Amino acid sequence: MAELTHFYEYFQPTNYNIYLDINRGIKQFSGQTTITGNAKAEKIALHQKYLEINTITVDGAAVEFTMDNDHDAVRFSVPKTGEVTIVVDYKAPLTDSMMGIYPSHYEVNGEKKQIIGTQFETNFARQAFPGIDEPAAKAKFDLAIKFDEQPGETVLANMPEQKVENGVHYFDTTVRMSTYLVAFAFGDLQSKTTTTKSGVKVGVFGTKAHQAKELDFALDIAKRSIEFYEDFYQTPYPLPHSWQLALPDFSAGAMENWGLVTYREAYLLLDPDNTALEMKQLVATVIAHELAHQWFGDLVTMQWWDDLWLNESFANMMEYVAIDAIQPDWHIWELFQTSDVPSALQRDATDGVQSVHVAVEDPAEIDALFDGAIVYAKGARMLVMVRALLGDDALRKGLKKYFAAHQYGNAKGADLWAALADASGMNVGEIMNSWLEQPGYPVVTAAVENGKLTLSQQQFFIGQGQDAGRKWQIPLNSNYAAAPKIMADKQVTLGDYAQLRDENGQPFRLNQGNNSHFIVKYDATLLQDILDHLSDLDAIDQLALLQDQRLLAEGGQISYADVVPLLTRFADSHSNVVNAALYQVANNLKKFVTPDSAEEKHLQALFDKLSAAQVARLGWTPQAGESNDDQLTRPYVLSAALYAKNAAAVASAHDLFTANKADLAALPADIRMFVLRNEVKNYGSAERFEQLLTAYRQTSDASYKADIRAALTSTTDPELVQRLISHFEDADTIKPQDLRGWYRGVLANDAGQQAAWDWLRNDWQWLEDTVGGDMEFTTYITVTAGIFHTPERLAEFKAFFEPKLNTPGLTREIKMDIKVIESRVNLIEAEKAAVNQAIAQA
Ligand code: BES
Ligand code: ZN
């Protein structure tokens, strides 16, 4: 392949005038794009993909052009460098790939309908119009859209509509922005709108398959998030409106198009009267994430995709900062601790993982950069360290400067560090580069050696790892003043332990609050001291303790059997974060037991012991006015009781099912999944199965859909498993965007694993054709590796994926996932006997 260059070097657009005529009937559109800009060379190229170009004129004269599809390009010459006007006339298909301009399919009252929408990040704007489709190539856009319009349809775009003439909708000129943020949509929509304190119009839009009240929650969160950011960033929201649009078909979770944010329906719309708190929190953080991007990402954009973290890590941190400010009673940082933190620590422990900042050129590799656990979770964790070091005052001062300096332009990581250093007087860049540029993270060993308390750092691996001697600048957050604020050396000695212990009057601890990206390995003396004072730890520190023990066990640094006895010590906690960590460890034990064995019986007995008192305390149905902790804890303990086959729990769930048979959707959303799953597993029948599958097809409530999916995928009937798999490629039942959840569900089910794995291998090509090219695709590999744990499956996995190692975008994932399964298989082999003995004795 020829060297990849940035087309912006040769041509710099200042304005695009885009006219599109879209015909849903024949799934095609024709376009005329007029670009004015500055040619830096006579030979230039525009990005295009799947465009059938009729003519190109430069300053009014037709030119010859060459299509270079290998590089998503059309190449031609301009008569002179300097200011030119290029007009491209073309047509192109509407594809069902959820990229470019694409239809979303849905049904209202049995009638099949469509919404046309767009998805241009990372590089799909080139499927809609020719141009320089690179983040640094910012320009202004004038959009005009005509389509086979029906009465009552709504058209939305980044900017407000200016006029309609001869059926053509003209929109106001945008501000200077990147191509990947251009968006529009049309169809038969419903909406609710409001206005922020500063006068920004905020709206939520969705199809009419939803109840009007499903728009309310999002509208409130969106409005208050924008108000929060205007204040926090000290920079006004720069556009007249902020639309949030739920699209029935959507490849990512949500997309921050400037002024027209698009979402998966599940991440925007919800029934305010029956949705679990956990789901409300998730939706709120997604909205806050995309709205954080309206400044960080949209107003100031990364120069090139290698600095993607600048967009995503930042938005991922800000979603928590914002929701914590507007909904303080949720303690939303706890969600960060139970979701982002473990995913970052897990993935970042595998050798071969990417660093947060990664060099990238090939468009096929760009989407593979969006490793959620690294670019989002680890990156956010990194910025949480920055925030803790700087404090909010300096952070806000720095951000305000950063926006002022780069607004309507681009920036690199170093520009952010410079602004923050300026505001704080601290060399943040130097500290952060050790986290940004290096993959992995350290385990800090705290030990008493010859009477001295000593700390040392070393890269932590789960599975085989090459120690490259990496060092990090670690904010230690110790409770002993003798520990340095930042540990930059490989090893430090803090002094005489007995004396330090005496002076401090409490056990020695590191990473209080669990806000730094490292884990701690205390020696036996130090760990026992902490365990003897367990009740002095707050919930997050208890979570961190359990989590670190689990990771150390997975990394082979301690025995898993030693972690098992810890569980009962935490089982009575009323804190949802402690229960989250507890059940993460407990659920991880399942891989050590053979299905339907005596071992499994012992593990079930342990689960019963862990959950019984909590189930009795909390009961099956949510009580009015109960605490958030109780609401969030209930699902963990009910799930545990059902795994334990606790007879009373099984009967209660069955009773709830029977009592609500006429309207299963009305079961309390917090427990609905467990009731349905219990029914399918323990009282299943083909009729019940079909009834639930029909409900799945018909409901527009995403939470209810997810509950039904969890229930159906847990069937133990081989015939029903086959029936499920026969629907995997039937988009009228399971939309491609939702398929991964179904695949995961069946694969995780012992009775379904073989069938799901056979399906993946046999229909890999279908999968590639259907979801390939977007980031969902690789995650089918990740999901598979997350479940497999036997030598046989490892061998099959290798046999299937190793020949695909050279596929662009898959290489790293396959390599890492082989390691992931390998290390799990080895762990089980080494520890199985000891772990099962510990389980039997717990
Ligand atoms: N910019 C991303 C969406 C995106 C990612 C589009 C990769 C194309 C390629 C958006 O801001 C985002 O981060 N979405 C997340 C959800 C978010 C709330 C964590 C997603 O889609 O998973
Ligand atoms: Zn994002």
Side-chain angles (χ1 to χ4, degrees):
M1 191 186 284
E3 201 189 327
L4 292 154
T5 52
H6 297 182
F7 294 1
Y8 191 53
E9 287 169 30
Y10 307 108
F11 178 56
Q12 305 186 337
T14 48
N15 179 278
Y16 290 77
N17 203 313
I18 303 169
Y19 167 77
L20 300 174
D21 184 352
I22 300 168
N23 188 323
R24 288 171 287 195
I26 56 166
K27 287 183 88 166
Q28 218 185 47
F29 64 96
S30 57
Q32 190 178 73
T33 296
T34 304
I35 314 171
T36 50
N38 194 344
K40 295 286 185 189
E42 284 178 7
K43 284 188 172 171
I44 66 168
L46 299 178
H47 284 110
Q48 65 77 27
K49 195 171 183 185
Y50 309 139
L51 302 187
E52 194 183 306
I53 296 179
N54 303 322
T55 58
I56 299 181
T57 66
V58 178
D59 293 335
V63 294
E64 300 273 314
F65 57 89
T66 340
M67 300 300 277
D68 175 5
N69 290 334
D70 286 346
H71 296 98
D72 292 357
V74 52
R75 299 181 189 278
F76 54 95
S77 294
V78 296
K80 56 170 179 36
T81 58
E83 188 79 5
V84 290
T85 299
I86 300 166
V87 181
V88 184
D89 220 84
Y90 58 99
K91 62 177 193 244
L94 298 176
T95 59
D96 274 315
S97 63
M98 301 184 274
M99 290 175 275
I101 306 174
Y102 72 92
S104 275
H105 305 279
Y106 68 104
E107 258 184 59
V108 188
N109 303 325
E111 189 195 344
K112 290 199 165 165
K113 304 189 70 144
Q114 281 186 21
I115 295 186
I116 299 292
T118 55
Q119 172 61 41
F120 291 169
E121 192 180 14
T122 49
N123 44 50
F124 313 121
R126 61 191 67 172
Q127 299 185 25
F129 56 87
I132 307 295
D133 193 14
E134 295 167 1
K138 288 196 175 185
K140 295 183 174 180
F141 295 84
D142 288 293
L143 190 63
I145 298 174
K146 185 172 186 283
F147 61 105
D148 42 1
E149 190 167 352
Q150 302 293 314
E153 290 192 299
T154 305
V155 202
L156 304 172
N158 304 89
M159 294 295 285
E161 187 174 274
Q162 188 188 66
K163 60 177 181 190
V164 189
E165 256 174 35
N166 303 324
V168 183
H169 297 257
Y170 294 86
F171 295 89
D172 283 342
T173 309
T174 69
V175 293
R176 197 166 179 270
M177 62 189 279
S178 303
T179 47
Y180 78 92
L181 295 167
V182 173
F184 63 84
F186 54 82
D188 185 16
L189 299 170
Q190 62 172 322
S191 65
K192 287 196 181 176
T193 56
T194 183
T195 307
T196 65
K197 278 188 236 156
S198 63
V200 179
K201 276 183 102 176
V202 180
V204 176
F205 296 78
T207 74
K208 292 179 180 165
H210 297 274
Q211 306 175 66
K213 68 175 179 181
E214 290 177 48
L215 281 58
D216 294 340
F217 179 81
L219 188 64
D220 172 58
I221 297 288
K223 168 177 182 284
R224 293 193 294 133
S225 295
I226 292 173
E227 289 172 348
F228 169 78
Y229 290 129
E230 288 200 312
D231 174 55
F232 190 88
Y233 294 146
Q234 292 289 300
T235 306
Y237 178 82
L239 306 181
H241 70 219
S242 171
W243 299 153
Q244 329 300 315
L245 166 65
L247 288 172
D249 289 294
F250 202 76
S251 130
M255 176 63 214
E256 70 268 27
N257 314 301
W258 214 354
L260 175 56
V261 184
T262 43
Y263 299 81
R264 238 173 222 242
E265 293 186 324
Y267 291 147
L268 189 69
L269 308 177
L270 58 83
D271 178 352
D273 301 322
N274 192 20
T275 296
L277 176 60
E278 197 191 357
M279 194 60 208
K280 286 187 179 167
Q281 293 182 343
L282 181 64
V283 170
T285 55
V286 173
I287 296 170
H289 175 110
E290 302 312 332
L291 294 175
H293 276 314
Q294 305 298 297
W295 288 261
F296 226 98
D298 296 3
L299 181 62
V300 179
T301 310
M302 74 246 137
Q303 178 77 24
W304 180 248
W305 297 108
D306 65 329
D307 269 326
L308 173 70
W309 69 274
L310 205 49
N311 272 9
E312 297 303 344
S313 308
F314 199 86
N316 207 34
M317 172 177 78
M318 286 311 294
E319 69 190 59
Y320 292 99
V321 175
I323 298 300
D324 195 38
I326 68 174
Q327 206 68 48
D329 59 310
W330 281 353
H331 304 290
I332 200 72
W333 283 104
E334 295 184 349
L335 179 64
F336 185 71
Q337 289 289 343
T338 57
S339 62
D340 297 60
V341 172
S343 90
L345 289 171
Q346 191 80 32
R347 178 107 172 148
D348 205 20
T350 302
D351 204 8
V353 68
Q354 70 182 55
S355 48
V356 175
H357 175 253
V358 211
V360 66
E361 284 301 334
D362 186 346
E365 300 282 350
I366 293 173
D367 276 359
L369 285 186
F370 282 77
D371 182 335
I374 301 304
V375 173
Y376 288 69
K378 179 185 181 179
R381 201 154 159 69
M382 207 176 72
L383 291 169
V384 166
M385 286 195 271
V386 172
R387 185 176 179 226
L389 286 170
L390 259 57
D392 266 355
D393 285 347
L395 177 68
R396 293 173 62 173
K397 210 168 113 200
L399 287 178
K400 188 179 172 187
K401 279 187 91 144
Y402 174 82
F403 289 130
H406 303 287
Q407 57 183 342
Y408 305 108
N410 298 78
K412 297 183 169 200
D415 298 317
L416 177 65
W417 302 142
L420 295 180
D422 226 33
S424 66
M426 208 186 235
N427 192 345
V428 246
E430 190 188 306
I431 300 170
M432 281 306 130
N433 277 338
S434 70
W435 299 98
L436 191 64
E437 305 292 347
Q438 303 189 103
Y441 64 90
V443 49
V444 173
T445 302
V448 182
E449 286 169 10
N450 302 323
K452 299 255 191 290
L453 181 54
T454 53
L455 307 179
S456 57
Q457 59 161 304
Q458 191 162 30
Q459 184 168 1
F460 177 70
F461 294 110
I462 296 178
Q464 280 259 312
Q466 270 264 307
D467 198 327
R470 296 193 172 103
K471 263 192 321 188
W472 286 265
Q473 301 220 10
I474 312 172
L476 286 177
N477 299 319
S478 174
N479 60 338
Y480 283 20
K485 201 167 156 118
I486 303 227
M487 175 171 171
D489 295 326
K490 199 90 185 152
Q491 188 154 3
V492 286
T493 304
L494 306 188
D496 183 74
Y497 173 63
Q499 197 185 333
L500 285 168
R501 177 67 178 85
D502 201 47
E503 275 165 22
N504 284 282
Q506 46 181 311
F508 174 69
R509 290 184 34 240
L510 292 172
N511 206 6
Q512 295 181 96
N514 202 27
N515 280 328
S516 290
H517 190 54
F518 70 99
I519 61 172
V520 192
K521 183 179 180 186
Y522 298 103
D523 73 2
T525 314
L526 297 171
L527 181 61
Q528 193 54 51
D529 196 15
I530 292 172
L531 291 173
D532 288 343
H533 299 83
L534 204 53
S535 54
D536 295 347
L537 298 189
D538 68 20
I540 288 189
D541 288 330
Q542 292 190 23
L543 160 131
L545 184 70
L546 269 171
Q547 181 165 270
D548 287 6
Q549 293 302 109
R550 175 178 65 78
L551 290 162
L552 290 169
E554 289 192 18
Q557 302 220 9
I558 62 173
S559 167
Y560 230 113
D562 291 340
V563 185
V564 176
L566 288 182
L567 296 178
T568 46
R569 305 189 56 158
F570 293 87
D572 291 331
S573 173
H574 289 199
S575 151
N576 93 82
V577 288
V578 174
N579 280 292
L582 166 68
Y583 284 104
Q584 194 178 16
V585 178
N587 286 320
N588 258 295
L589 298 176
K590 292 177 183 170
K591 63 176 174 258
F592 290 101
V593 304
T594 312
D596 301 320
S597 63
E599 296 157 358
E600 190 179 42
K601 289 254 154 18
H602 287 135
L603 184 59
Q604 286 168 331
L606 174 59
F607 269 70
D608 203 30
K609 189 169 167 190
L610 294 173
S611 61
Q614 298 267 29
V615 174
R617 178 175 77 86
L618 294 168
W620 268 84
T621 31
Q623 307 299 310
E626 69 185 358
S627 70
N628 290 344
D629 268 311
D630 285 351
Q631 284 181 63
L632 296 170
T633 297
R634 182 177 288 104
Y636 292 118
V637 298
L638 292 183
S639 170
L642 292 176
Y643 172 76
K645 295 209 158 74
N646 176 295
V650 172
S652 300
H654 183 49
D655 290 348
L656 276 164
F657 185 91
T658 312
N660 289 275
K661 215 161 38 190
D663 186 8
L664 292 170
L667 275 162
D670 307 68
I671 61 160
R672 192 170 45 203
M673 177 173 103
F674 305 111
V675 174
L676 300 182
R677 200 161 65 186
N678 182 63
E679 202 62 21
V680 168
K681 261 187 155 162
N682 299 320
Y683 303 88
S685 67
E687 293 83 303
R688 190 66 77 229
F689 189 90
E690 280 306 325
Q691 175 199 1
L692 285 170
L693 199 59
T694 305
Y696 180 87
R697 279 194 206 101
Q698 287 172 349
T699 184
S700 59
D701 181 332
S703 292
Y704 185 38
K705 267 186 191 284
D707 295 343
I708 298 174
R709 183 191 70 215
L712 291 180
T713 53
S714 70
T715 181
T716 52
D717 180 335
E719 228 169 88
L720 296 180
V721 166
Q722 281 309 334
R723 206 179 293 181
L724 274 187
I725 289 185
S726 73
H727 287 298
F728 276 17
E729 294 167 31
D730 152 27
D732 285 338
T733 304
I734 300 175
K735 282 176 173 287
Q737 65 166 17
D738 298 323
L739 179 56
R740 196 188 51 192
W742 286 89
Y743 169 69
R744 185 209 300 263
V746 181
L747 195 77
N749 173 354
D750 291 326
Q753 187 167 98
Q754 187 64 47
W757 176 224
D758 287 343
W759 168 79
L760 187 85
R761 285 180 294 178
N762 291 331
D763 289 17
W764 182 256
Q765 191 57 49
W766 174 87
L767 194 66
E768 184 164 5
D769 295 342
T770 311
V771 299
D774 83 35
M775 56 181 174
E776 280 270 294
F777 185 47
T778 51
T779 59
Y780 279 82
I781 313 176
T782 328
V783 159
T784 308
I787 290 168
F788 282 180
H789 59 269
T790 63
E792 296 75 27
R793 291 288 187 232
L794 171 63
E796 291 168 10
F797 186 93
K798 280 186 175 169
F800 185 67
F801 284 115
E802 271 175 350
K804 300 184 171 30
L805 264 170
N806 290 329
T807 317
L810 299 190
T811 312
R812 184 194 300 282
E813 193 56 46
I814 294 173
K815 277 193 192 156
M816 279 185 66
D817 286 335
I818 290 174
K819 283 210 178 108
V820 164
I821 308 173
E822 235 161 30
S823 73
R824 197 179 295 125
V825 168
N826 292 339
L827 179 75
I828 293 170
E829 192 182 87
E831 299 252 340
K832 188 170 175 155
V835 170
N836 280 303
Q837 195 178 7
I839 291 171
Q841 285 164 358

